[in-house]
Amino acid sequence: MKIAIIGASGLLGEGFLHLKTKHKLITTVFSKDSINNSTVLDIRKYNDVKKFVDEFKPDVVINTSAITNPEYCEINPIEANQTNVMGVKNLAEICNNFKIHFIQISTEYVFDGITGKYQEESIPNPISKYGESKLESEKITLQINNSFCVARTAMLFGWSKNKLNLATLLISKLSQGEKLDVIKDQIVSPSYNDNIAEILLELAEKKLSGIYHVSGSDIMSRLEFAKALAKEFKFDEKLLESISISEFNWKAKRPKNGGLEIDKISKILHTKPMSVSESLKQMKIDSIVKM
Ligand SMILES: NC(=O)c1ccc[n+]([C@@H]2O[C@H](COP(=O)([O-])OP(=O)(O)OC[C@H]3O[C@@H](n4cnc5c(N)ncnc54)[C@H](OP(=O)(O)O)[C@@H]3O)[C@@H](O)[C@H]2O)c1
């Protein structure tokens, strides 16, 4: 199968590049230097997206690209929507016209974080511009073709050349003996980028339709995640400073009690969502090649 990964320079996009797969991956980047013969593509430009799809004729397009910084989206909602909504509309329409299966990546930030442990059928209620734009991207995808797929993921972590994430930030600070503030009261589903990419490839192979929660198998606070990492990498846990989400002066609200239920994919797919402990062990093994 030919599978196009839109946004291969991102944290999730890089996960696909780490995998050994029988599929031919066609990748795009936007502002970063080209990697692995990637095409430079701006999803906001309809004709460029059409040219890319027409040239490579993939069997499936997976869109990982987005403006993902909630603060940036809160301050620049129009710009965020141009990529997170209109860009997705371009991709979905063109895939529909070319009869190509489309998978849109979304987020647990479509929920308000009141009840937590969200299922696919839970009612979204975004509390930030970022969350609103991602919910809109889901709606547009499924309106254009209800056999398309929306895959919601959650706090991504893993080796990345381009994007610092909670795991790599912790490793860089704790390995130097530096202290780090970590939020104790935001509950998330930590999701290892390589594992999520592998699950998404299986979703692509099976051309599944509708909404799927695609995250790691554990639900915990960011601080608990940090402690698990410190333990696995044998760093001093005392360097972790517990802080409340309310102490950050963020403009964009974050869902406090998040976490995704993953029963649906666990029943259907062969690739299993990894626990935090399994992911961190794998990350440690991979550190020599990917750091
Ligand atoms: N990170 C998380 O914790 C998290 C949690 C839940 C859901 N998600 C979702 O998962 C997906 C991947 O997130 P991520 O953290 O991997 O993202 P990321 O690291 O911020 O990367 C975003 C990607 O989008 C590309 N991009 C940005 N604007 C573009 C445009 N106009 N046209 C084409 N490409 C564009 C970037 O290209 P360049 O780098 O080349 O500029 C980059 O490859 C997103 O849909 C996000 O909403 C992320």
Side-chain angles (χ1 to χ4, degrees):
M1 243 184 189
K2 257 194 276 178
I3 302 177
I5 310 297
I6 311 297
S9 44
L11 176 54
L12 177 55
E14 280 189 72
F16 289 92
L17 306 179
H18 298 152
L19 301 178
K20 285 195 183 79
T21 169
K22 59 186 178 204
H23 301 296
K24 181 173 169 42
L25 302 186
I26 301 148
T27 54
T28 78
V29 297
F30 173 50
S31 65
K32 301 282 180 340
D33 287 342
S34 192
I35 33 171
N36 291 4
N37 300 320
S38 294
T39 301
V40 175
L41 180 69
D42 182 346
I43 62 166
R44 295 169 300 183
K45 296 185 176 160
Y46 185 91
N47 288 335
D48 291 4
V49 176
K50 193 172 165 201
K51 189 166 161 259
F52 167 78
V53 170
D54 198 20
E55 184 179 342
F56 292 101
K57 296 193 170 57
D59 300 290
V60 181
V61 170
I62 303 178
N63 179 36
T64 76
S65 78
I67 298 184
T68 57
N69 183 329
E71 288 302 279
Y72 190 86
C73 293
E74 205 66 25
I75 299 160
N76 307 283
I78 295 170
E79 192 189 331
N81 279 4
Q82 278 161 358
T83 299
N84 294 359
V85 182
M86 297 317 289
V88 176
K89 185 168 181 268
N90 290 340
L91 284 164
E93 270 181 12
I94 291 160
C95 286
N96 193 41
N97 295 344
F98 280 84
K99 302 203 176 339
I100 291 168
H101 186 62
F102 179 60
I103 301 178
Q104 167 61 12
I105 308 304
S106 189
T107 169
E108 64 176 336
Y109 277 35
V110 297
F111 297 112
D112 52 21
I114 292 170
T115 59
K117 295 194 177 175
Y118 292 100
Q119 298 176 327
E120 284 82 353
E121 305 75 40
S122 302
I123 308 295
N125 181 32
I127 54 174
S128 66
K129 297 288 177 201
Y130 169 65
E132 282 173 16
S133 72
K134 297 298 289 185
L135 179 59
E136 208 46 42
S137 80
E138 297 187 355
K139 288 182 182 164
I140 279 192
T141 298
L142 298 174
Q143 260 163 24
I144 289 173
N145 188 331
N146 64 9
S147 60
F148 283 167
C149 179
V150 166
R152 291 185 188 131
T153 190
M155 194 202 95
L156 290 166
F157 70 95
W159 295 116
S160 167
K161 291 191 174 69
N162 293 321
K163 191 175 176 187
L164 209 57
N165 53 81
L166 184 54
T168 51
L169 180 67
L170 284 162
I171 293 167
S172 75
K173 295 281 182 194
L174 301 184
S175 64
Q176 301 298 313
E178 289 176 38
K179 289 186 174 176
L180 190 70
D181 291 339
V182 187
I183 297 170
K184 64 177 174 195
D185 52 0
Q186 188 185 19
I187 308 297
V188 293
S189 289
S191 302
Y192 184 38
N193 59 353
D194 292 14
N195 181 229
I196 302 305
E198 202 177 350
I199 295 171
L200 289 169
L201 284 186
E202 199 183 336
L203 272 182
E205 262 172 41
K206 295 191 160 70
K207 295 196 177 173
L208 294 174
S209 309
I211 300 177
Y212 293 86
H213 284 179
V214 179
S215 68
S217 61
D218 287 321
I219 296 181
M220 59 176 68
S221 73
R222 285 178 174 262
L223 183 62
E224 284 168 326
F225 174 83
K227 285 181 180 170
L229 184 140
K231 194 170 167 212
E232 182 59 44
F233 282 77
K234 301 196 171 24
F235 297 136
D236 183 0
E237 203 188 284
K238 292 193 199 77
L239 294 169
L240 300 171
E241 305 268 5
S242 167
I243 182 166
S244 168
I245 196 167
S246 58
E247 291 175 66
F248 284 88
N249 259 340
W250 280 324
K251 288 194 167 55
K253 283 193 206 155
R254 271 76 168 165
K256 262 184 92 172
N257 195 9
L260 298 175
E261 289 282 5
I262 48 158
D263 290 356
K264 192 172 169 184
I265 54 159
S266 305
K267 282 180 193 146
I268 305 173
L269 300 184
H270 169 75
T271 316
K272 293 294 164 223
M274 286 164 76
S275 66
V276 163
S277 157
E278 289 168 327
S279 305
L280 292 173
K281 279 194 174 59
Q282 191 57 48
M283 221 184 142
K284 201 175 164 197
I285 294 167
D286 293 344
S287 59
I288 303 146
V289 257
K290 292 180 189 160
M291 258 180 107

